Amino acid sequence: MIQARYQKYILNFKRPSGTSRGVLRKKETWFLILEENKKKGIGECGLLRGLSADDRPDYEEKLGWVCSNISLGREQLYNELWEFPSIQFGLEQAFTSLNAPTPFSLFPSNFSKGKETIPINGLIWMGGETYMRKQIDEKLKEGFRCIKMKIGALDFDREISLLEALRKKYPREQMELRVDANGAFSAQEVLTKLKRLAALDIHSIEQPIKPGQSLAMKKLCKESPLPIALDEELIGIFNGDKKEELLRTISPQYIILKPSFIGGYQGAKEWIRLAKKYGIGWWVTSALESNIGLNAIAQWTYTLNNTVPQGLGTGALFSNNFDGPLTVEQGRLHHKEDKPWKVNL
């Protein structure tokens, strides 16, 4: 018989990290732990307060309910957790982990064996201009050839000047530039700003305006000189028909898949199926999970055979992350088998 419990864990940022929604210093996360026949399965429920669709007062209560009803099994529990996508993902991970060769070998592959790597983007957090320039220099020294910069908090002219300096030094052939506005721009001003960004050979912009403005976003995706990627727009869309309606209506160039926000592997696969149907590109991004959740996302992402840089470089952000085999070298995520996991949950 499977025994289940959950545990809260607070991740501490090494340095406060800025987005257009504010500065992050701590990140709350939850682990679902299953045990059966001396085997253990661990899944991370990656809740992000203020953004996750399941940021609700009854979140911990729902985790307790899952543990009390674990005998219902993975499929039935998953189907009853539609309003809790991060718990759905934790549940998928925990059961996969329990049935895996080891708790952290969820999807054995050439990636998990250390033979192949995953290209990722280098993430530049918002902050003062000096701090952002420092981050960019560090990422370039670390060998990144795809940079993603958070924009929308500084004066836009200063952000443009940062990007101009970067593009002047590295043309498009040498450096892919992505930007993420986190919904910072108004529908009235956004097109003017996108035109300025497009002049810098920007690959794409994530969520230029706030989600929930489907007609404005549809118009923007049609008129923008810069490819648009939906991110927060996907959060809270649980129904398959609603997902298809959203993509059909807005017709974005890309969608960003964060398994913790959209119902884990199963939810992400549904979005991918619909994206392929409508000719929409996609990639996978972590959502500030610990290395446990990042590992679960990375191993699965490798199996999708998507060769564009993924957003999986957040493991080094925290001072109290779990030690494990995930490392970033030359802009690629590696899984080094000679670095053992150190997890006490």
Side-chain angles (χ1 to χ4, degrees), residues 8-15 24-31 44-48 287-294 314-323:
K8 184 178 181 178
Y9 192 81
I10 302 296
L11 292 158
N12 299 313
F13 281 83
K14 291 177 182 175
R15 176 178 178 132
L24 303 171
R25 292 178 173 83
K26 294 181 182 294
K27 162 69 167 61
E28 165 192 337
T29 198
W30 300 78
F31 293 99
E44 181 168 356
C45 305
L47 177 70
L48 192 57
L288 301 178
E289 295 86 359
S290 76
N291 277 334
I292 293 175
L294 180 60
T314 57
L317 291 174
F318 307 112
S319 61
N320 60 336
N321 209 336
F322 301 96
D323 290 334

Side-chain angles (χ1 to χ4, degrees), residues 28-43:
E28 165 192 337
T29 198
W30 300 78
F31 293 99
L32 182 61
I33 301 133
L34 308 182
E35 295 181 74
E36 183 182 39
N37 297 328
K38 297 183 179 179
K39 288 192 72 179
K40 182 184 282 189
I42 303 174

Side-chain angles (χ1 to χ4, degrees), residues 271-289:
W271 281 111
I272 290 171
R273 179 184 65 79
L274 292 169
K276 288 179 177 178
K277 179 177 178 179
Y278 291 100
I280 296 166
W282 56 271
W283 61 86
V284 180
T285 301
S286 53
L288 301 178
E289 295 86 359

Side-chain angles (χ1 to χ4, degrees), residues 87-148:
I87 301 180
Q88 284 181 317
F89 187 33
L91 184 78
E92 287 182 318
Q93 289 172 59
F95 271 100
T96 304
S97 171
L98 183 66
N99 295 311
T102 69
F104 301 108
S105 183
L106 280 72
F107 297 92
S109 68
N110 282 337
F111 171 71
S112 66
K113 293 172 185 173
K115 295 179 180 178
E116 294 192 16
T117 59
I118 300 173
I120 60 173
N121 60 240
L123 181 60
I124 308 301
W125 291 90
M126 289 178 178
E129 189 172 340
T130 302
Y131 171 55
M132 293 182 78
R133 286 185 183 277
K134 181 171 180 271
Q135 289 182 82
I136 291 170
D137 289 340
E138 287 172 354
K139 294 300 178 191
L140 296 176
K141 285 177 185 174
E142 290 166 9
F144 282 92
R145 288 297 171 262
C146 177
I147 297 289
K148 171 180 162 180

